[in-house]
Amino acid sequence: MPQSALSTHFQSLKKHRSRLENLSLSALFQSEPNRADDLSIDDGVLFFDFSKNRIDQQSLAVLLNLATDAKIEEARGRMFRGGKINFTENRAVLHTALRAGEGPAIIVDGINVRDQISKAKRQAFDFAEKVRSGEYSLGRHTIKDVVNIGIGGSDLGPVMCVAALQPYCSGPNIHFVSNVDGADFHDTTKGLDPHSTLFVIASKTFTTAETMANAKLAKTWLSEKISPRDIGRHFVALSTNLEATAEFGIDKNRIFGFWDWVGGRYSIWSSIGLSLMIAIGSDNYQQFLEGAKSADEHFLKQRLEDNIPVLMALIGIWHRNIWGFSAHAVLPYDNRLLHFPAYLQQLDMESNGKHICADSTISQYSTGPVIWGEPGTNGQHAFYQLLHQGSDIIPCDFLVGALSHEIDQTHQKMLLANCLAQSEAMMLGRSPQQVTEMMQPNIDARLVPHKVFEGNRPSNTFIYQKLTPYVLGKLIAYYEHKIFVQGVIWGINSFDQWGVELGKQLASDIQPLLEKEHVSYDSSIHDASTNNLIARFFQLSK
Ligand code: F6P
């Protein structure tokens, strides 16, 4: 939305901040008897509690006004209808269509993408089932191991979901190689049998240097045991670049395509999900899509005040722009969500880590925060100290299931108790009086401040019954829409990623310089520090 309009809303919100600064969260709970119910939403599968934020009905009303003025509903409609909202790349943004199923045509450049999607999905499902059943084999070997080679959005979605949905994994073992550091390929393939290993080369562009280098390495690795005639069967490609996949030598029957209107970080819903499909099977993957679809319907149909992703976004804006909090922690109390913070890091930071607005001017306001996190309870014994008593306030999202997939629920209750205790501790804190009372009768006044917790540290909590494919799909889609809403409010393009280009270009300039020492090159091209480090590389690599 225009910066001038944003400025008016932010000024009014800042007045609410001043008012609320004098009220603690416990005081808000005392004065609002229905606060826990009023500031939470049950969508039937996920329960979203946002009552532990320093917010009240008045400030919420102003935030909702901001969302209305930002024309979120219109922008949302444009995205779902296939409008070219990725305006710097002139592309539609239609990851939502990938999970929409049957319905009226969605036309992009004169083509009904629904037809393309269902055909591509059928092909991917069919192949995944053939791998799972052994119908697709490697000579006389059934596939025991699948290695997904991809990076960024072509890695993080599958890697996160395969770990999250372990109880549903009943196919071959799935492994991931992403880093160009040769250690990644080496350590991942150590112990695998080339005869029974399938490589899935996942790359939207099929030009990403790291993925191409690892794909070539996979060919070499296979060629030590497999005859050149048979190597082709060990490769599958997931890409929009059909020319490059053919050039790499992958049979056209094993190329699973998608389209430029699927952003890399939104591509788990496309053929990029193939390794997940192979792991959990097409029925479970369909459930994953259904979960996301139900989140899309919620986002489309619910009023702004009852809309989970809209509220997540507004609370984020409140924290980032009105309170100045520059980071946001994602804390899953679900060990299988161990890669969820990293997944959201790409989703959020590559989408909203920008400061140029739609009209090409510099944003006057802070945009996307730093996203980070780790599963609880591990994080409690590492960085939570800073969350409780550090000089910066970091809003947190807690995620937890009521039940685990394990038969004995004893651990789950401990886990849940810890999760609830952390958000409560962050909110309530512990006053000097309470500390003094606890220290009775040996009060050491010098120690009191060290044991005080200020409290009033904000958090959201998502609670669900169990981490199923449906729940996971829904969760991811809510975060996607949160990020979209924030991008609309900040007036930035959440769907390009120009910020990763410069580093890629410089790496390809530097690499030839590492090939041969004393090669004559124009040392003024790189800065003195970089030149020095290149020289040091040659000294150290002897
Ligand atoms: O470098 C960033 C990026 O373009 C991401 O947006 C993307 O997910 C990743 O690289 C991988 O790209 P590709 O799927 O084309 O290999």
Side-chain angles (χ1 to χ4, degrees), residues 173-201:
N173 301 315
I174 314 287
H175 313 266
F176 296 90
V177 172
S178 54
N179 203 320
V180 78
D181 183 340
D184 197 5
F185 187 92
H186 176 269
D187 294 354
T188 306
T189 52
K190 198 167 70 183
L192 301 190
D193 179 358
H195 294 101
S196 52
T197 300
L198 177 76
F199 285 97
V200 174
I201 313 299

Side-chain angles (χ1 to χ4, degrees), residues 13 18-19 21 42 86 107 141 166 237 241 272 338 342 369 406 436 447 507-508 512 519:
L13 284 166
S18 309
R19 181 177 55 77
E21 261 170 341
D42 183 357
N86 177 355
I107 307 291
H141 298 271
Q166 268 307 305
N241 185 349
I272 290 292
L338 80 165
E406 283 57 55
T436 314
L447 276 185
S508 68
V519 68

Side-chain angles (χ1 to χ4, degrees), residues 149-156 202-212 238-240 258 263-267 272 346 350 496-497 500-501 504:
I149 296 184
I151 197 163
S154 299
D155 168 71
L156 286 163
S203 175
K204 180 176 169 182
T205 55
F206 226 73
T207 57
T208 303
E210 294 93 325
T211 301
M212 292 303 105
L238 319 175
S239 186
T240 56
F258 56 109
R265 52 193 175 275
Y266 299 87
S267 63
I272 290 292
Q346 187 201 17
E350 202 169 64
D496 59 13
Q497 56 284 321
V500 296
E501 293 302 321
K504 281 187 196 173

Side-chain angles (χ1 to χ4, degrees), residues 1 42 71 92 149 156 264 317 349 355 444 454 501 522:
M1 72 185 291
D42 183 357
K71 302 198 172 58
I149 296 184
L156 286 163
I317 298 272
M349 293 169 77
H355 68 285
D444 180 341
E454 285 165 2
E501 293 302 321
D522 181 356

Side-chain angles (χ1 to χ4, degrees), residues 136-422:
Y136 184 85
S137 61
L138 302 168
R140 50 193 179 78
H141 298 271
T142 51
I143 294 166
K144 284 208 200 93
D145 296 283
V146 174
V147 182
N148 185 88
I149 296 184
I151 197 163
S154 299
D155 168 71
L156 286 163
V159 89
M160 183 274 282
C161 293
V162 167
L165 299 176
Q166 268 307 305
Y168 301 86
C169 289
S170 52
N173 301 315
I174 314 287
H175 313 266
F176 296 90
V177 172
S178 54
N179 203 320
V180 78
D181 183 340
D184 197 5
F185 187 92
H186 176 269
D187 294 354
T188 306
T189 52
K190 198 167 70 183
L192 301 190
D193 179 358
H195 294 101
S196 52
T197 300
L198 177 76
F199 285 97
V200 174
I201 313 299
S203 175
K204 180 176 169 182
T205 55
F206 226 73
T207 57
T208 303
E210 294 93 325
T211 301
M212 292 303 105
N214 280 324
K216 278 187 203 131
L217 189 54
K219 260 191 190 165
T220 313
W221 182 80
L222 284 169
S223 65
E224 284 167 17
K225 291 271 165 62
I226 312 287
S227 84
R229 189 169 45 93
D230 298 328
I231 281 187
R233 257 185 102 70
H234 290 252
F235 282 99
V236 164
L238 319 175
S239 186
T240 56
N241 185 349
L242 305 186
E243 253 171 58
T245 49
E247 207 174 294
F248 186 82
I250 299 179
D251 187 291
K252 65 174 179 353
N253 293 319
R254 288 192 300 281
I255 299 172
F256 300 93
F258 56 109
W259 310 272
D260 70 359
W261 41 259
V262 183
R265 52 193 175 275
Y266 299 87
S267 63
I268 182 65
W269 322 102
S270 71
S271 66
I272 290 292
L274 187 75
S275 50
L276 177 63
M277 297 173 206
I278 294 174
I280 63 175
S282 47
D283 288 348
N284 281 320
Y285 185 88
Q286 183 58 37
Q287 279 304 303
F288 174 64
L289 294 178
E290 297 293 337
K293 181 182 173 185
S294 74
D296 295 341
E297 282 163 0
H298 174 101
F299 179 48
L300 278 170
K301 291 182 190 150
Q302 292 300 320
R303 297 177 312 167
L304 297 181
E305 56 266 46
D306 302 319
N307 200 307
I308 293 176
V310 170
L311 290 164
M312 289 166 80
L314 293 176
I315 293 163
I317 298 272
W318 173 244
H319 289 153
R320 184 79 182 104
N321 297 113
I322 310 304
W323 291 77
F325 304 149
S326 58
H328 184 98
V330 180
L331 308 169
Y333 276 68
D334 201 321
N335 205 52
R336 292 190 176 113
L337 283 176
L338 80 165
H339 298 301
F340 195 60
Y343 177 80
L344 287 187
Q345 215 166 48
Q346 187 201 17
L347 194 65
D348 199 317
M349 293 169 77
E350 202 169 64
S351 297
N352 286 344
K354 294 157 195 172
H355 68 285
I356 303 298
C357 300
D359 60 4
S360 306
T361 59
I362 296 176
S363 170
Q364 293 161 37
Y365 300 101
S366 302
T367 53
V370 175
I371 306 289
W372 63 285
E374 273 285 320
T377 59
N378 292 12
Q380 289 176 207
H381 301 274
F383 56 79
Y384 276 41
Q385 165 65 42
L386 185 147
L387 295 180
H388 287 290
Q389 289 186 315
S391 51
D392 289 297
I393 293 184
I394 301 181
C396 303
D397 283 355
F398 290 94
L399 301 112
V400 68
L403 298 174
S404 81
H405 286 83
E406 283 57 55
I407 295 165
D408 183 355
Q409 297 296 324
T410 321
H411 279 62
Q412 193 62 19
K413 286 178 192 153
M414 277 174 78
L415 186 68
L416 193 61
N418 273 280
C419 178
L420 302 183
Q422 290 300 324

